[in-house]
Each structure stands twice: as C-alpha cells, then as structure tokens.
Amino acid sequence: MREEPETATTEHPAANSQPAGAPRRISQGARVPLVIVAALALHAPTLNMGFFGDDYFHQFTLRRIAEHPTMRPWRLYDFGTFPADLNDPVRQSGSFPWWTSPDWKARFFRPLTSATLWADHALFGDWAMGYHLTSLAWYAALLVLAYRLYRVLGLSPNTALLALVLLAVSDSCVFPVAWPANRNSLLATFFIVASVLAVSRVTVWKPARALSAALALASLACLAKESGVIAFVLIIVYLRRAAGRPDLRCAKRWANIGTAASLLVAGTYVVFFIASGYGTNTVFYAMPWSDSGLFLQRTAHLPFLAALSFVGLYPIDVMNMVPHAAVAAIPIAAILIGPFAWVVWKHVRTHPAAGFALLWIPIALVPQPAAPPSDRLLFCASVGSSALLALFICGALRRREQPVRQSRLPRVLAAAALCCAGLLSCLSVLAHGLALAKMAPEIRSTILRTEVGPTTLGKREVFVLQAPDPLLLMSIQPTWHVETDDHDVRFWAMQAGRRALRWTRLDERTFELKTLDEPFLTDLFEKVFLSGTDPPTERSVWQTPLFTVEAVEVGPDGLRSFRVRCEDSLDTPRYRFLIAREGKLVAIDPPAVARSIDIEPVAAPPLSTADRSPSQRPLPMLSRGFQPPARTPALALISSTVSRAIISSSFVGITQAAVRLASDVMANGSPER
C-alpha cells in the first residue's frame, strides 16, 4: 500500500494543459495550505468563546483552588469515585448532586491530553484564547498528516485534496477543535493517523525503526484518549493487507512481527487500564464490561446515525435535540443510506485504498458507543469516510470516454454528496461555531449573575430548584469558584431540567418538590450521576452534608416527588432558593408552612429548541428535558432531511454544468456546445 497512481480515477492527459489566456491555476503545492488556512478560519468564531463546561473543572485543578482526591494537572480527566464519607472534602464542597449513585465512578486515563492543558496553563494562565490557539495548531497538524495519509494510500493529488476538504468541513470536528476539554479526541486522532503513516514506512524504510515508531505513536494515542487503542488495530490491518502484496519484500515477516507486537502493547494497556481502577460506572458512559446491554444498544444505533452524518444529511447533534429521534432515524438511514452506500462501494471497490478506508470506519466507531451518540464521536472515523466519499465523487464526476453511455445516477448522487458533505456541512460547522461562541459566554454570564446573596453573610447554601439549561448546572460550581473570589458559596442542584414544580413547605426545615412535567432523574444530564436506569423505590433516602432527601412518590415512569429536610430553618439568611427567569437564576422566598408555590417551567431559549434550523443547533443533547411540539420525531427527521435535499438540489445542476464544462476543456481544449 505504498504511494502509487490512482488507477481507477486517472486524470486525462490533457488535464495539465492550459489554453493561452486562461486564468492561472493554483498549483497543487499551494492548494493544501489554502485548504488548511480556510479550515482554521472556519473555526475562528470559537476563539473568543472562553472556557466552558469541563474546562472549569480543569481550571479548578490547574489553579489549585482546592485539593481533589484524584484530579491532578497530569490527570485532569480522573473525576474519581463517589465518596461514602460525608466529611470527605469533595462531598463537603457540594460537587455531587443528591441523587448520585453510591457506586458512581468516572475515571479516565488521559495523561497526554492533560499534559497539553497543563502546558497551556503554564504558558497562558487564565487566557482562554491561548488554549483555543493550541487546539487550532494541533488541528492544522492533523490536516497535514491526513493529506499525507491519503497520498500514501494511493489517492491522486486532487482526490486527496477533496478528501481533506470533506474532513475539514465535517460536523464531527466542531467540538474536538473548539472545546479545549474535548482536545482528547483531537490528539487521539492525530496520533492514530501518525501511527498508520509510520507503519506505512515498514516496507520502504528500516522496518524495525518504522514499526517501533508506529507502536510508540499508537501508545501516545492511548495516552490521549482510551479510544486511541484502535491505532494498534489499524496497524495490524495495514500490515496484513501489505503482506498480501508479492512486490513487497519481507512484508509477511514484518506483518507477523507487527501483529504480535501490537497485540502485546494493546493488551498491556487494557490490562493496566482495568487493573488500575479506571473506567466508568454511570449511565452516561457505558463500559462494555460493566454495562454491556447499553453499550451494545448504542453500538447497534451508531452506524446508522453515523452514515447520515457522514454524508451531511442529518448531523447526530441535531437528532439529539429531538427526544427519541435517533430511534426514528435508524429505518430512515437504512432506506436512504443503504442504496447510496451500495453505489459508492460499487464505484470505489477497485481502488487499492478503498478497502482500508472502509475498514477504518467501523474500527474507529467500535469504542465510541460508551458515550451517548454525538458527532464528536465520529471525528476519527471521518478520516476514513472522507477518503471513500472523495474517491466516489471524483470518480463519478470525472468525464470518461466509454462507448456505452453510463447511468446518470452516480453523477447525480456524487454531485448531491459534494453539496451535502461539502458545502452544507461547511455552513453547518460555521453555524455550530457561531452558536457555540455565543452560548458559552451566555452560560458563564448567567452563572456569574446568580443571586447568591451578599458576602457579609459568610458561607451561603444555594438551592437551585430549576435552571435555564441543564449544562449550566453541570459546571455551575467550578465556574463560580474559578471566575470569582467568593469561595463561601455551595450550590445544591435539586434537578437538572426545566420542569414545572410544586414547592410545598411542610415545617420550618422541610419541604417537598413535586414535578408537574416529566419525572425527576430522567434528564440525560441527571443520568450522568446515576449508575443504573431503574427508578428509586419509595422511601429511598439520600444523605448530603447539608440535607437529607427522601423519595415520596414514585410512579411507573419514575420519581414524581421527594422530601428535603435541612439542618436549619428555610428562612435562614444564608439559604438561597433559586429559579430560572428570563435567562437568570433569581432568588425566591420559601413558602409559608403548609403552603405551596407552583413554579412555571422554564421557557427554552430561542437558540436551544426545536425552532432552530439544523445548522444552528450548537450542542449535543442540549435540552433532553425539553418537550418538543406535537410533531413526531420521524416527521421532524424527514422534514429536515427533505429541506437539506431541496437546498442541495439547487446546487446539483450548477455543479454538473461546471464539471461538464471543465471536463470538456480538459479533454478538447475548448468546451462543447
């Protein structure tokens, strides 16, 4: 699989000729840097977004605001376990909500990514843009390696360039590039691509050194993110395919050595990961050895959802905005993507790179179902899908001199794929970045404007009854302590949704909360702290350092109400009860004894509901607590797909005309009539 001409899609000999007076073409050497610069410009809007979400957990540790039992500058993703001791500093800080499962665990081994964030902190301090610039630099380096990989696999310069463009405008790149906390995906993909490039030198360079470099780079991929272990699988696949070529000397011998070495190193890593206690025990992240049922369910869904996202028809992050839309998308994906995939494979299967690019996709997807479906999980797999799409588009749209007229279907599908996966995905990435750059500061501003009471009160206990956004509650504690000098505030989330509530006071120190909407503990972000999906039983009790919670009413669909008994009277000045109004967290007085207050549901902001267009929805699973309009998920999915198809069709004719004109000029020196 050394670099070689692209036999299935060889350019016409006259392609390099240029008529006199014609505009000067951009040289091939200049096109790749231009694509990379354009890709960086596409992510420029997120440079000013600042820190967001998990970034504040990292900043909390890097700035040494307080000691954490497991998180260190070199272990920023090791969130530890749920302490059983109420006097534990983590429990005392209020970091865990009251419904956290006793056996909860979220421990990730990502020292390489942590080291890059630690270095950013040493260089830039609290200047968030520096962290974003570092991610952009890694992204540019990844694009350089990706183009080189496409050429090594045998793609022609033009096809490799198109594959690079499709990779650069993929919806999957938004979060790994824009969000410093998700840099783990960016670094893992970088070292995975680098390891395959290194192993490709086994047959043309010193084999021992090339294989050692590949294994070292694959190990770095594992240290960036757990899914980096697929680098060893890709090394084995590459070597086994190379071993089948008779023109490569000693290929079979080094394939056997490389396979054994890769299995040894990968096995050692997995054993160390499990034996050291890393992994998760939460519904949000399902480990195959602890929650195999949920992992297999997500594994079955992800390929269908990924196929829709790869071709730009319907990004997964958009589907997450409509509850249960992913289930409705699976049959639609089978209908739309199945025939398209068959046409694509029929046209690219003869190319020597097609098989490896195709295998890259499922190999990269295998470890991803641990997390809920999202476009960011497809980042590494997009390296392979972009190569396949580029091979198909270039092959189908290029003029071929054949005596029998070929069907127009492949050309139409290729033109549509170019519009969807190219132009529309580019617009989608830009819209995602703009919305993310707007939303992150808004969430930060909402937290900092929270009515926590004057500092003269000393230590204050803030009960958040509801919030304008579930993501806000996930990071309200570290955001407040990082951005302010007021460390005498503890936040206690009563829920993580926008539910309507009935707040009843039973006595001086006790109150009940009853949901008037969906049950408690059903929002996706509430499940982050749950290790199981079964609802609690009545009279279940949870203990926190400040109050005790008891389940009161549990219906068939889950927890409907719970009772909270505090240490002091609810009227004490240091207690603050907050509800969401007009995008802010405002204080509300508790009701009188034996009286109730009905709290209205929080209206979803304009840019976080189903009213958004697909290209404007910035975050995955932003509002699982939101109840969509009376429109079925299937209709919502179909309508969005049809709208994209209508937009795409307007470009198909122009694209085909431009391709035909260019083909005629290349073939004859002048266009046909």
Side-chain angles (χ1 to χ4, degrees):
M1 296 179 67
R2 292 176 296 179
E3 186 173 337
E4 57 187 36
E6 189 175 332
T7 56
T9 56
T10 304
E11 281 82 359
H12 195 279
N16 295 326
S17 63
Q18 187 173 352
R24 186 176 181 181
R25 296 178 182 176
I26 301 176
S27 65
Q28 187 67 35
R31 292 177 186 177
V32 175
L34 284 177
V35 169
I36 295 175
V37 170
L40 297 179
L42 198 60
H43 293 275
T46 60
L47 286 175
N48 288 319
M49 66 175 281
F51 296 122
F52 169 72
D54 288 355
D55 292 333
Y56 281 107
F57 288 96
H58 298 162
Q59 290 299 308
F60 189 86
T61 301
L62 292 171
R63 301 183 192 188
R64 300 185 182 279
I65 295 176
E67 192 74 14
H68 190 277
T70 55
M71 293 181 70
R72 296 291 185 272
W74 58 92
R75 289 205 310 255
L76 293 176
Y77 295 85
D78 189 351
F79 298 98
T81 59
F82 183 64
D85 185 5
L86 286 175
N87 295 319
D88 186 275
V90 177
R91 293 288 300 275
Q92 288 290 328
S93 68
S95 299
F96 289 98
W98 60 265
W99 62 84
T100 305
S101 299
D103 56 349
W104 180 90
K105 180 174 72 171
R107 303 193 61 196
F108 302 100
F109 184 66
R110 300 168 181 175
L112 180 60
T113 306
S114 299
T116 65
L117 295 171
W118 192 8
D120 282 347
H121 177 69
L123 291 173
F124 307 116
D126 58 357
W127 187 47
M129 186 179 291
Y131 294 71
H132 294 286
L133 290 173
T134 301
S135 293
L136 284 179
W138 280 104
Y139 180 52
L142 169 62
L143 294 180
V144 171
L145 290 187
Y147 178 78
R148 181 58 186 164
L149 174 65
Y150 294 145
R151 294 291 291 124
V152 165
L153 292 179
L155 275 65
S156 70
N158 288 337
T159 306
L161 186 66
L162 177 59
L164 184 67
V165 171
L166 296 178
L167 176 62
V169 301
S170 169
D171 289 289
S172 64
C173 67
V174 176
F175 277 92
V177 177
W179 191 18
N182 198 203
R183 189 184 295 171
N184 50 77
S185 297
L186 178 60
L187 292 180
T189 304
F190 174 88
F191 287 107
I192 288 171
V193 173
S195 66
V196 176
L197 278 174
V199 80
S200 70
R201 306 293 295 173
V202 167
T203 56
V204 295
W205 192 48
K206 296 181 179 180
R209 292 187 180 182
L211 182 58
S212 299
L215 295 175
L217 291 168
S219 301
L220 291 177
C222 294
L223 299 180
K225 187 181 180 182
E226 296 76 15
S227 59
V229 72
I230 69 166
F232 296 104
V233 182
L234 292 172
I235 288 174
I236 294 173
V237 172
Y238 190 97
L239 289 173
R240 304 314 301 183
R241 289 175 60 84
R245 295 183 53 175
D247 58 321
L248 300 180
R249 296 180 304 170
C250 303
K252 186 173 182 179
R253 174 194 172 197
W254 284 104
N256 294 333
I257 295 175
T259 299
S262 297
L263 291 175
L264 177 62
V265 179
T268 302
Y269 166 77
V270 173
V271 170
F272 163 79
F273 185 87
I274 298 176
S276 300
Y278 290 101
T280 66
N281 190 24
T282 164
V283 176
F284 194 87
Y285 294 104
M287 292 287 102
W289 51 81
S290 61
D291 195 347
S292 57
L294 181 58
F295 186 87
L296 292 176
Q297 178 184 353
R298 291 174 177 174
T299 301
H301 292 168
L302 189 59
F304 296 97
L305 305 180
L308 285 175
S309 182
F310 285 148
V311 297
L313 279 177
Y314 210 101
I316 297 178
D317 291 348
V318 176
M319 283 183 269
N320 284 325
M321 300 298 296
V322 182
H324 313 299
V327 177
I330 293 175
I332 296 175
I335 295 173
L336 295 179
I337 300 300
F340 176 76
W342 179 81
V343 173
V344 169
W345 181 246
K346 179 181 177 181
H347 281 74
V348 305
R349 61 186 177 183
T350 57
H351 193 279
F356 186 72
L358 179 64
L359 288 173
W360 184 296
I361 299 173
I363 291 173
L365 290 179
V366 164
Q368 303 302 339
S374 174
D375 284 309
R376 63 191 177 93
L377 303 181
L378 311 180
F379 188 49
C380 183
S382 295
V383 176
S385 66
S386 298
L388 280 181
L389 278 177
L391 284 170
F392 170 66
I393 292 171
C394 288
L397 293 183
R398 186 171 294 124
R399 180 181 177 87
R400 297 185 179 182
E401 299 178 357
Q402 295 182 354
V404 180
R405 186 175 181 83
Q406 299 296 310
S407 171
R408 288 179 175 268
L409 179 61
R411 293 173 62 86
V412 172
L413 289 178
L418 182 60
C419 291
C420 287
L423 179 60
L424 291 184
S425 287
C426 178
L427 297 177
S428 178
V429 169
L430 182 60
H432 272 68
L434 291 171
L436 186 59
K438 178 182 178 182
M439 193 201 65
E442 287 181 349
I443 289 182
R444 181 167 56 250
S445 175
T446 299
I447 293 175
L448 298 181
R449 290 184 291 125
T450 300
E451 298 179 3
V452 299
T455 57
T456 54
L457 293 174
K459 292 187 179 297
R460 283 142 290 158
E461 309 293 350
V462 180
F463 295 78
V464 185
L465 303 182
Q466 60 180 191
D469 197 302
L471 286 172
L472 182 147
L473 284 180
M474 293 292 294
S475 59
I476 187 171
Q477 193 99 283
T479 301
W480 179 269
H481 291 301
V482 168
E483 294 287 352
T484 73
D485 295 327
D486 186 2
H487 301 318
D488 291 331
V489 178
R490 291 191 298 184
F491 294 91
W492 305 94
M494 296 293 100
Q495 60 157 331
R498 303 186 178 98
R499 302 175 181 87
L501 301 172
R502 177 164 294 154
W503 185 19
T504 304
R505 184 170 182 174
L506 302 180
D507 56 40
E508 282 296 313
R509 298 189 298 156
T510 310
F511 66 87
E512 281 188 7
L513 279 181
K514 181 176 182 178
T515 176
L516 303 180
D517 284 327
E518 63 177 4
F520 294 112
L521 310 186
T522 57
D523 185 272
L524 182 66
F525 291 100
E526 291 172 335
K527 295 178 180 179
V528 169
F529 298 96
L530 295 175
S531 60
T533 57
D534 294 334
T537 59
E538 291 187 2
R539 306 307 174 188
S540 296
V541 176
W542 297 264
Q543 186 73 40
T544 76
L546 183 67
F547 54 84
T548 302
V549 178
E550 180 182 357
V552 175
E553 179 185 353
V554 180
D557 52 352
L559 180 64
R560 304 295 306 179
S561 67
F562 58 87
R563 182 177 299 137
V564 180
R565 185 170 182 81
C566 302
E567 291 181 344
D568 298 320
S569 171
L570 305 185
D571 298 316
T572 182
R574 68 188 186 94
Y575 282 4
R576 310 285 287 191
F577 298 90
L578 305 180
I579 61 174
R581 287 296 176 266
E582 298 179 355
K584 297 190 299 182
L585 289 173
V586 299
I588 181 175
D589 293 330
V593 176
R595 301 295 296 271
S596 298
I597 297 177
D598 284 352
I599 302 174
E600 297 179 354
V602 182
L607 290 179
S608 65
T609 70
D611 293 332
R612 295 185 190 180
S613 64
S615 62
Q616 290 176 317
R617 297 169 182 173
L619 284 175
M621 303 158 290
L622 185 62
S623 53
R624 281 300 179 111
F626 166 68
Q627 295 297 322
R631 182 174 63 167
T632 65
L635 288 178
L637 183 62
I638 293 173
S639 64
S640 178
T641 303
V642 170
S643 65
R644 281 200 169 206
I646 293 174
I647 296 173
S648 301
S649 63
S650 64
F651 297 98
V652 171
I654 298 175
T655 304
Q656 285 186 313
V659 170
R660 175 169 295 184
L661 180 62
S663 300
D664 292 337
V665 171
M666 287 164 44
N668 307 317
S670 62
E672 293 180 348
R673 200 176 81 181

